[in-house]
Amino acid sequence: MQVQQAVSITKALQSQILILDGAMGTLIQNSLLAKEDKSVYDLLNLTKPELITQIHTDYLLAGAHILKTNTFNANAISLANFGLESLAYRLNFSGAQIAQQAILEFNKTQTKNKEVHFVAGCMGPTSQMRPLSFDSNTQFQKNMDFSKLKNAYYTQAKGLMEGGVDVFLIETIVDLYTAKAALYAIEDLFKEKQKQIPILCSLTLTKEGNCFSGESLAHSLSSLSKFSLLSIGLNCMEAQIMGPYLEQIASQFPLYVSAHPNAGLPNTLGQYSQSPAQILSFLTPLLKKSILHIVGGCCGTTPAYTKAVADTLHCIRK
């Protein structure tokens, strides 16, 4: 079931900054699930869809315009670690349906000041990444050739698209080799379906501004420019180190720019300490300069952060 949008996301971005939701895993952890439920969060699309629906609804109530599907690790390569690779299509299809249904039910409760809402099909990196010293003799290449990556992403993208997502979000790009496999898989799907939806890409960089597989931001942007994208941005980083790199993206690439930072870095207990106000203190100057067009949260962020983003944007518009 796909919610019929009166306004496309491309049109919406021409007139407003869109709010992307926050972390899914953080809220799942906070729900006190049994230990076995925590191993594969994507499986909850089938085993506890009501929990995922509630999380989506909490973000909508906080002001989110875009919901990320609960499918970050729902590719066959990552799922194979748990013997669940055969569920890849179902997990993605269900993830898309759950998010769209959450929007449908939420919109029924809104009598005025209705906002536009979109579902972003979330595609994260696989459980394997190309090493810095990459050559054809490495074990990575033997286990993870490009066609295997592409096939895994094709199945994921197909499940998401047939489940009704409005856009694809390829996020936490730590390795261009893997990201290109996802993008080529999506291109193949578009040809098969004879239909296209927008694609958002989000990189994760080191403090030095490189992908974890070694590529510089400039090289990454040059490589990604060969694809038809709606936005490029950064995620899974501390907000305080994003600024210069977001400005570089804005200056080098004529696209919409996104940011969904972590709530700082996790401590030894895996807890994140930055408050919404602290995170936004680093992003607000970029918002005021109109550098950012999509703003959300990654690890450690909650609906409280989403509401703070909405409040900040309201103040800026005034």
Side-chain angles (χ1 to χ4, degrees), residues 69-85:
T69 55
N70 180 41
T71 55
F72 183 81
N73 291 306
N75 60 77
I77 294 166
S78 297
L79 291 170
N81 295 331
F82 306 94
L84 299 173
E85 60 270 36

Side-chain angles (χ1 to χ4, degrees), residues 55-311:
I55 290 172
H56 286 322
T57 302
D58 289 345
Y59 278 118
L60 290 169
L61 287 166
H65 300 113
I66 307 172
L67 297 180
K68 300 187 294 288
T69 55
N70 180 41
T71 55
F72 183 81
N73 291 306
N75 60 77
I77 294 166
S78 297
L79 291 170
N81 295 331
F82 306 94
L84 299 173
E85 60 270 36
S86 64
L87 294 178
Y89 176 88
R90 285 183 61 197
L91 291 174
N92 286 282
F93 183 89
S94 298
Q97 292 269 290
I98 291 168
Q100 287 287 7
Q101 185 65 33
I103 290 174
L104 186 65
E105 294 301 320
F106 177 78
N107 284 341
K108 290 179 181 178
T109 70
Q110 306 304 299
T111 57
K112 58 182 180 178
N113 299 324
K114 289 187 177 181
E115 296 274 7
V116 293
H117 296 104
F118 307 96
V119 173
C122 178
M123 302 170 70
T126 70
S127 55
Q128 299 191 38
M129 187 187 81
R130 183 180 67 165
L132 284 170
S133 56
F134 180 65
D135 63 61
S136 60
N137 296 316
T138 63
Q139 190 63 36
F140 176 91
Q141 177 67 2
K142 294 174 184 176
N143 293 338
M144 194 55 53
D145 60 31
F146 193 80
S147 62
K148 185 175 181 180
L149 281 167
K150 185 179 171 184
N151 289 340
Y153 279 123
Y154 178 86
T155 300
Q156 180 173 28
K158 186 175 183 180
L160 290 168
M161 193 170 187
E162 292 184 351
V165 299
D166 302 297
V167 298
F168 286 117
L169 170 61
I170 304 173
E171 67 169 332
T172 319
I173 296 174
V174 293
D175 167 26
L176 281 183
Y177 182 84
T178 304
K180 286 180 179 179
L183 287 164
Y184 280 122
I186 289 172
E187 284 189 349
D188 285 353
L189 181 63
F190 287 165
K191 290 176 184 176
E192 177 193 313
K193 294 290 185 182
Q194 296 187 322
K195 174 187 175 182
Q196 295 188 21
I197 60 175
I199 304 171
L200 319 178
C201 278
S202 186
L203 297 152
T204 299
L205 307 176
T206 65
K207 288 184 178 180
E208 294 73 32
N210 300 320
C211 284
F212 284 76
S213 51
E215 300 93 346
S216 68
L217 177 56
H219 174 77
S220 299
L221 294 175
S222 177
S223 295
L224 292 173
S225 68
K226 298 175 175 61
F227 298 91
S228 179
L229 305 177
L230 180 61
S231 73
I232 291 182
L234 301 176
N235 79 290
C236 210
M237 299 167 59
E238 294 176 280
Q240 60 264 40
I241 66 173
M242 281 185 165
Y245 304 126
L246 289 167
E247 295 201 26
Q248 182 179 344
I249 293 171
S251 65
Q252 187 174 337
F253 221 60
L255 293 175
Y256 295 108
V257 178
S258 68
H260 52 296
N262 290 349
L265 291 177
N267 59 24
T268 54
L269 299 176
Q271 299 170 330
Y272 294 81
S273 60
Q274 277 191 353
S275 68
Q278 288 174 312
I279 303 169
L280 284 166
S281 69
F282 302 108
L283 295 184
T284 300
L286 300 172
L287 289 166
K288 289 181 176 179
K289 290 195 288 186
S290 299
I291 285 175
L292 294 179
H293 309 98
I294 301 172
V295 183
C298 199
C299 303
T301 59
T302 67
Y305 168 72
T306 303
K307 185 178 185 306
V309 173
D311 292 343

